Amino acid sequence: QPVFMISVDDPQKVGDPIRSFTMYTVHTRTTSPLFQKSAFSVLRRYSDFLWLYETLSINNPGVVVPPVPEKNAFGRFDDQFLRQRRLALEKCIQKTANHPVLGKDPDLRMFLESDSFALDIKHRKAEIAHERGGLMASIGQTITGPRFYETDEWFDRQKIYLDSLEAQLRGLVKAIELVAKHRGEIAVSTGEFAQNVSDLSASDVGKQLSQSLDGLADVQRKAQDIHNVQAEQDIATLMATGKFDEYARLINSVRLAFSSRIRIYHAWKASEADLLRTKQTHERNRAQGRIPTDRLGYSLSQIAESERRAAEAKLEYDHVSKLVKAEVARFEQERIEDFKDSLHAFLEGMISRQKEVSAVWRTRDFSHPYPMLHLFQLISTWENYQSMLLKRGGGGGAAAIQAIGGPIST
């Protein structure tokens, strides 16, 4: 399997103020013998990535093509948006090129290395339009034909699973937003508590108690800062990278692969219908004596050609059915690894900030340490619990997220 190392860099705004767009530099290094060089760079815009995605989806029925990020009409030249889009495009093209099927596609090769892409893509679009015309005509002939009935229960189960996964992703996004909101509310409450303790320390409560209360107020203010950081990090780790948006698009790509299988099925049935018509025409003409002896061979060759096309269409349908199953298995493996990494980073960040709170408590020189002993025990118990969550993060993602709490404060 050839290796591709692709980076998308240097977003530059080009064009006039009304029709401006962003160009990216796509750097490629590869071991594939299909390319003229092992290292090269080209300029591409977002619409070029979108064209590649749509074209590869048509060229490769049954393959789950990595999706490009969504269009965005507002703020598309903001630095943060450009940074996120650049990373998303880079991840997309990297996955596409290293795919065992897509990496060999001629349109991908043209996208990555053509220095005359603007001209090449015009010619390619004309070719695709012609091919699609024939495809749509073929599909149109089957609209009034036999309806598609699923005979493999695996596909029905997967469709139900995809609907469920999509709903779970939407629920998880809402849960993360709710957790971040609650952390923000905890931070506000912690700040209010710190202010009240600070006001109390300024009262006539004695020097030693005043010092302890002042120290407690300082700890709570630092805990408030950590709560705020944690709330921001919850969103940044799991959502700001667009991971869940990416998976929503990827689920749609899986559905497109399923639809392409149905399209191939209709093409197969169209070939069978054409074979039947060819045989019927031959038999009718032969029965009526309308086939001269010198034309009999040609008529029989037409039947043989129709049989060949029908057999090839059946083989392609079987191939695409197997390919879809393999692609879904690959999708599942990547999904598990990605979510495991995200959850690991999420829990690591949470535990890191919990340790910051613990360190503040332990380094504080309170005048009356014994009343704080119980709190230290609680902190140690909480740290052990979150360490357990981290170790189990790979297999207990949903349960771990539901169990996530924030740094302890009193």
Side-chain angles (χ1 to χ4, degrees):
Q1 174 70 22
V3 177
F4 288 83
M5 295 295 294
I6 303 177
S7 64
V8 178
D9 300 314
D10 194 26
Q12 298 290 330
K13 183 178 179 180
V14 298
D16 57 65
I18 298 178
R19 293 176 294 180
S20 56
F21 56 90
T22 302
M23 293 292 289
Y24 301 88
T25 303
V26 182
H27 303 283
T28 304
R29 296 176 61 189
T30 181
T31 60
S32 173
L34 299 176
F35 290 79
Q36 298 178 1
K37 300 178 181 179
S38 60
F40 40 89
S41 300
V42 293
L43 294 174
R44 297 291 181 262
R45 56 186 296 186
Y46 169 79
S47 59
D48 298 333
F49 285 88
L50 183 59
W51 172 85
L52 179 66
Y53 167 73
E54 294 173 346
T55 303
L56 293 179
S57 297
I58 295 173
N59 293 352
N60 302 276
V63 174
V64 179
V65 181
V68 296
E70 295 285 353
K71 290 183 178 180
N72 194 331
F74 303 100
R76 56 196 179 100
F77 297 112
D78 294 345
D79 290 341
Q80 182 177 1
F81 172 79
L82 289 175
R83 180 181 64 83
Q84 293 180 0
R85 166 154 289 186
R86 182 188 67 78
L87 292 173
L89 291 174
E90 181 175 283
K91 185 176 183 180
C92 168
I93 194 64
Q94 179 77 9
K95 283 188 173 183
T96 300
N98 284 288
H99 189 283
V101 176
L102 301 178
K104 302 173 184 177
D105 193 288
D107 286 316
L108 173 67
R109 188 164 67 249
M110 182 181 74
F111 174 87
L112 289 177
E113 72 175 355
S114 174
D115 291 326
S116 56
F117 187 71
L119 180 61
D120 293 339
I121 196 174
K122 287 183 180 179
H123 295 156
R124 187 69 184 108
K125 284 180 177 179
E127 293 175 0
I128 293 174
H130 178 72
E131 293 170 1
R132 285 183 182 178
L135 173 64
M136 293 306 297
S138 175
I139 293 176
Q141 292 174 1
T142 66
I143 290 178
T144 57
R147 182 180 177 183
F148 176 78
Y149 291 98
E150 185 58 72
T151 58
D152 191 335
E153 293 182 358
W154 182 91
F155 287 95
D156 286 333
R157 291 196 303 270
Q158 290 302 313
K159 290 175 183 177
I160 295 173
Y161 164 73
L162 289 175
D163 292 340
S164 174
L165 177 60
E166 191 172 39
Q168 290 174 2
L169 284 175
R170 288 195 297 266
L172 183 55
V173 169
K174 292 180 179 178
I176 293 171
E177 291 174 343
L178 186 60
V179 168
K181 178 183 177 182
H182 286 174
R183 284 198 204 280
E185 294 172 351
I186 291 173
V188 172
S189 298
T190 303
E192 293 174 352
F193 176 70
Q195 184 60 49
N196 290 333
V197 172
S198 179
D199 294 342
L200 182 60
S201 69
S203 304
D204 187 14
V205 294
K207 182 177 180 180
Q208 288 185 328
L209 182 56
S210 177
Q211 289 176 348
S212 295
L213 291 173
D214 187 59
L216 178 61
D218 183 56
V219 169
Q220 292 302 301
R221 280 190 287 268
K222 292 180 179 178
Q224 179 189 17
D225 293 338
I226 293 174
H227 276 302
N228 284 325
V229 171
Q230 181 68 59
E232 295 174 359
Q233 197 64 30
D234 289 346
I235 301 296
T237 302
L238 293 174
M239 294 180 64
T241 57
K243 183 170 293 296
F244 294 112
D245 288 340
E246 176 192 349
Y247 267 92
R249 297 192 303 273
L250 193 53
I251 289 173
N252 186 57
S253 290
V254 176
R255 290 194 176 109
L256 286 177
F258 281 27
S259 298
S260 69
R261 172 175 170 266
I262 298 176
R263 171 165 57 86
I264 297 301
Y265 169 85
H266 285 309
W268 166 36
K269 290 303 177 182
S271 297
E272 286 190 337
D274 180 68
L275 171 60
L276 180 61
R277 286 193 300 270
T278 302
K279 286 183 176 181
Q280 290 174 341
T281 300
H282 171 79
E283 292 298 329
R284 184 172 58 254
N285 290 337
R286 189 170 66 86
Q288 297 174 358
R290 297 171 58 183
I291 303 179
T293 304
D294 60 339
R295 297 287 296 176
L296 180 60
Y298 173 76
S299 181
L300 291 175
S301 69
Q302 291 291 97
I303 294 176
E305 177 63 19
S306 296
E307 289 176 337
R308 182 189 65 79
R309 287 197 297 265
E312 288 181 352
K314 174 63 167 61
L315 288 175
E316 184 177 10
Y317 173 73
D318 292 340
H319 169 71
V320 169
S321 296
K322 293 178 181 178
L323 183 58
V324 169
K325 293 182 178 182
E327 285 290 286
V328 170
R330 187 176 60 83
F331 161 76
E332 274 295 286
Q333 183 62 35
E334 290 184 0
R335 182 184 68 83
I336 291 172
E337 292 298 324
D338 282 352
F339 273 80
K340 182 179 178 181
D341 291 344
S342 295
L343 184 58
H344 187 278
F346 178 82
L347 293 174
E348 279 280 19
M350 187 178 64
I351 291 175
S352 174
R353 276 168 284 282
Q354 170 60 42
K355 288 180 177 179
E356 291 179 33
V357 175
S358 301
V360 171
W361 277 104
R362 290 193 170 92
T363 57
R364 193 71 193 183
D365 182 20
F366 290 102
S367 299
H368 297 281
Y370 293 108
M372 304 298 170
L373 180 59
H374 179 61
L375 180 58
F376 292 155
Q377 292 173 343
L378 285 177
I379 290 174
S380 297
T381 301
W382 182 248
E383 285 181 342
N384 292 335
Y385 172 67
Q386 294 196 16
S387 296
M388 177 192 70
L389 284 180
L390 179 59
K391 292 178 181 178
R392 295 172 54 190
I401 288 178
Q402 292 176 359
I404 286 171
I408 290 180
S409 59
T410 60

